[in-house]
Amino acid sequence: MEALKHLFGIADLSKEQIEHLVNLGDSFIDINRRPIKKAPTLRGKTIINLFFENSTRTRTSFELAGKRLSADVINISASTSATSKGESLLDTGQTLAAMQPHVLVIRHSLAGTCEFLAEHLEHTAIVNAGDGAHEHPTQILTDLLTLKQAWGSPEGKTMTIVGDISHSRVARSHLLAAKKLGYHMRVVAPKTLLPSEVERYGCEVYHNFDEALPGSDVVYMLRIQTERLTDACAFPSIREYHEAYGLNAKRLKAAGEDCIVMHPGPMNRGVEISSDVADSLKSHILNQVEHGVAVRMAVLATLCGGHPEEKPVSKKKSSDEVKQAQGSLL
Ligand code: ASP
C-alpha cells in the first residue's frame, strides 16, 4: 500500500488506504474508552490545527486525537491568527511550517487550500479538515467506521443522503467513497440544492424524499449550508423545506426496520431532522462523534509513521542490561 504523505480528500485515496485508516481507527476506539486515555504513539510530534471556518466536532476531535496519542497540539482559529491582520494564507502557512510541526490540519472555505499549501510547505504533512464545498475526508472515514461497527462492511448497502447536496463537502466525499467501497448512493434534494450532472457520480437522484426511503439502509441527513448559500430562493421557507425534506419518525417508517440515521453535525432540529429521530435508537449521530476521535488518531498516526502496537518505553531494565551495567562497574 502506498504510504500516505498528506490527506487531501477521498478522491486521492485507494480502497486499501481507506480500509487501512478505518481499521486503524477501529483499533483506537478502546483508548478513548479507558479511564486513562493516553498512548505514546505520537510522543515528540507536533500538530497544528489551523481553522479558518467554525467547527466544534472536527477541531475538538483532532485536538483530542493528537493529545491522546501524546503529541503536542496547538490550535489556531482565523480570528486569532495574523490573517485577520492582513497576512496571506501562504505567509501564515510558511510561518507555521517554519516552527517545524509534523502535521498541519487545515479547515478553510476555499476548495483546494490544502493542495495549494502542500506545494509550498515541503516538510509538513497536511490534513484537510474541510475545504469549502469540496471534500471532508475525515468525516467520511468517521462515517465508514460507524458503518463498520453497525454492519461490518458498507458494501452493497444503500445510503440515502438528503438535503443541501450542492454545498456539502460531506455529500461529495461520500459520493467518491461509495464508488471505491461499493455502497450505493441515493441523493435527495430540491433541484435548487443539487449540483448539475450529479448523476455522473453513479448515484440515483430523487426530488421526493418519501420515494427514496424504501430500501434505504442508512438515511444521512445534511444541514443547509447557509454560509455557502448564495441563492436566496433555494426553497420557499424553512417550514416548507422541513415538510418536504425533514426527517421525522413517521416518515422514517417507510425505510424499514433496520435502517439507521446519520448526520455529520451540527444538526438543525426542526429543519432537516426532528428530535423524535435525532434522539431515537435508530440515530448513530453520537457514535459518529465518538468514532471521529478514533479515526483522526488513525490519520495522525499514519501520517507521522506511528503505530498503535508501539509499546511505551519500559523503564524496567532487562536482566541482560542489568548484568551489563553491573559488569561495567566492576
Ligand atoms: N460538519 C460538516 C462540515 O464541516 C457538516 C456541516 O457543517 O453541516 O462540512
Side-chain angles (χ1 to χ4, degrees):
M1 188 178 65
E2 205 189 319
L4 207 61
K5 199 164 167 240
H6 305 285
L7 178 56
F8 296 145
I10 296 293
D12 312 309
L13 296 177
S14 64
K15 180 179 187 221
E16 211 186 353
Q17 286 171 320
I18 295 174
E19 285 173 346
H20 163 77
L21 290 168
V22 171
N23 292 337
L24 190 55
D26 201 1
S27 73
F28 279 126
I29 292 177
D30 183 50
I31 295 179
N32 294 310
R33 292 182 179 169
R34 288 183 202 157
I36 311 286
K37 302 171 198 305
K38 209 68 165 178
T41 315
L42 297 184
R43 197 169 37 201
K45 309 286 183 188
T46 306
I47 293 155
I48 300 182
N49 292 326
L50 177 59
F51 276 60
F52 293 95
E53 275 191 341
N54 295 340
S55 174
T56 302
R57 275 150 288 267
T58 307
R59 200 198 59 76
T60 311
S61 56
F62 265 114
E63 182 175 356
L64 283 176
K67 287 184 171 168
R68 287 180 179 172
L69 292 181
S70 308
D72 295 312
V73 184
I74 308 295
N75 295 308
I76 304 173
S77 63
S79 55
T80 55
S81 79
T83 48
S84 63
K85 294 184 183 175
E87 187 174 65
S88 72
L89 171 69
L90 182 55
D91 281 333
T92 302
Q94 283 175 331
T95 300
L96 295 174
M99 297 179 199
Q100 311 290 331
H102 294 86
V103 183
L104 203 50
V105 178
I106 301 172
R107 170 170 285 192
H108 201 283
S109 58
L110 271 182
T113 299
C114 296
E115 287 92 328
F116 166 73
L117 280 180
E119 273 174 30
H120 296 87
L121 316 179
E122 268 178 36
H123 304 292
T124 313
I126 300 206
V127 179
N128 181 3
D131 60 335
H134 183 224
E135 279 237 38
H136 195 352
T138 58
Q139 179 65 52
I140 274 52
L141 296 170
T142 294
D143 298 342
L144 291 172
L145 177 52
T146 305
L147 296 179
K148 180 175 190 244
Q149 293 271 319
W151 303 323
S153 159
E155 206 178 326
K157 300 284 187 184
T158 297
M159 175 182 284
T160 297
I161 192 159
V162 188
D164 185 359
I165 309 290
S166 285
H167 306 98
S168 170
R169 50 197 174 207
V170 174
R172 190 165 181 283
S173 292
H174 261 302
L175 287 164
L176 294 168
K179 269 194 164 176
K180 297 187 184 204
L181 296 191
Y183 54 100
H184 185 66
M185 293 292 288
R186 292 179 181 170
V187 299
V188 184
K191 283 192 178 125
T192 47
L193 293 177
L194 264 185
S196 58
E197 297 176 33
V198 67
E199 296 86 351
R200 72 180 188 278
Y201 289 99
C203 57
E204 281 178 67
V205 179
Y206 292 81
H207 301 300
N208 183 314
F209 192 3
D210 298 302
E211 284 173 12
L213 282 166
S216 299
D217 297 298
V218 52
V219 180
Y220 198 109
M221 301 308 297
L222 296 170
R223 179 179 67 89
I224 299 162
Q225 310 277 296
T226 41
E227 68 275 34
R228 283 186 257 286
L229 213 66
T230 44
D231 183 358
C233 306
F235 48 88
S237 69
I238 292 289
R239 189 180 55 78
E240 279 157 288
Y241 180 85
H242 178 70
E243 264 168 36
Y245 297 102
L247 184 64
N248 54 38
K250 190 167 162 244
R251 175 166 266 159
L252 185 58
K253 281 198 180 123
E257 256 317 284
D258 297 328
C259 178
I260 63 170
V261 175
M262 293 169 80
H263 192 305
M267 284 188 279
N268 283 187
R269 289 173 187 255
V271 183
E272 74 274 10
I273 193 163
S274 300
S275 290
D276 59 1
V277 177
D279 303 327
S280 73
L281 289 174
K282 287 187 168 288
S283 164
H284 285 235
I285 297 167
L286 292 178
N287 299 347
Q288 289 172 270
V289 177
E290 181 186 8
H291 298 147
V293 180
V295 146
R296 287 169 181 119
M297 288 162 105
V299 167
L300 296 175
T302 302
L303 288 173
C304 291
H307 208 265
E309 280 95 60
E310 199 177 71
K311 295 277 183 302
V313 180
S314 169
K315 290 225 178 78
K316 199 166 160 260
K317 287 194 164 51
S318 69
S319 55
D320 278 358
E321 281 172 321
V322 172
K323 274 187 207 147
Q324 251 182 14
Q326 282 170 342
S328 68
L329 289 174
L330 295 174

